[in-house]
Amino acid sequence: TMPFLDSLSGQGLEFDRAYTPNPTCMPARVSLFTGRYPSCHNVRTNHNAEDVVYTEDLTDVLHDEGYLLALCGKNHSHLSREDFDWWETNGHLGAESEQELTDDEKSFDAYLKTLHFCDSDKPSPFTVKEQLPYRNVSSFFRFADKAISEDRPFFAWVSFAEPHNPYQVPYPSYDMF
């Protein structure tokens, strides 16, 4: 059903089982990258990334092996812009980093802010192409094209704010439920 992703996973590493050491976003992400439990890396809430303790994380190892590194989407971890070669971040309310946005994408980000982290009982006035998941995946494609053109191994963290609020759904999905 997803020929490109199936092909991509056939050339890389695919996880078919995942378990989280913590049900809270930031501690779970820090554990994913450091390989340490929250009780060891010291990030136990969504608000104390500066307390992180580790020797090296996944980005350090991959960088040392010559990988190009990208973050396409939501960060909310101990990592920063300096840890990546490609950085296009979107949070719950839209773009969080310098990136070129269309007028429609800027309008969508403004629309998300009007929802005040709640849900909308009306369909989104925007199409799927303005939505953050579409933008995050599009960012990945631009990064992958760059990495492939440079014949470099790459690691992309494609991270989505969804299924967190604010909740809004465009047509035709809105009419499905």
Side-chain angles (χ1 to χ4, degrees), residues 54-146:
Y54 67 98
T55 304
E56 68 179 357
D57 68 9
L58 182 60
T59 62
D60 297 320
V61 172
L62 292 172
H63 182 266
D64 290 347
E65 292 296 319
Y67 279 69
L68 285 175
L69 306 176
L71 171 53
C72 308
K74 184 179 178 180
N75 181 8
H76 207 205
S77 76
H78 68 296
L79 299 168
S80 65
R81 170 70 186 101
E82 293 74 35
D83 296 309
F84 294 89
D85 302 298
W86 181 278
W87 177 267
E88 289 187 356
T89 55
N90 294 301
H92 298 270
L93 301 178
E96 295 181 337
S97 64
E98 291 294 320
Q99 53 192 284
E100 290 184 34
L101 299 177
T102 67
D103 288 341
D104 286 341
E105 290 169 339
K106 291 175 189 173
S107 295
F108 177 75
D109 290 2
Y111 163 73
L112 286 177
K113 291 171 182 66
T114 70
L115 297 178
H116 306 287
F117 288 99
C118 294
D119 59 337
S120 175
D121 62 354
K122 296 178 177 63
S124 169
F126 296 89
T127 70
V128 169
K129 289 187 176 183
E130 288 83 40
Q131 305 284 323
L132 301 177
Y134 185 94
R135 288 159 50 180
N136 296 343
V137 171
S138 296
S139 176
F140 163 73
F141 286 138
R142 290 190 303 276
F143 166 73
D145 287 344
K146 173 183 172 12

Side-chain angles (χ1 to χ4, degrees), residues 1-28:
T1 59
M2 301 181 297
F4 179 81
L5 288 178
D6 293 341
S7 170
L8 186 63
S9 70
Q11 299 172 37
L13 181 62
E14 179 181 315
F15 295 95
D16 62 0
R17 288 187 185 88
Y19 305 91
T20 185
N22 192 302
T24 308
C25 301
M26 189 179 293

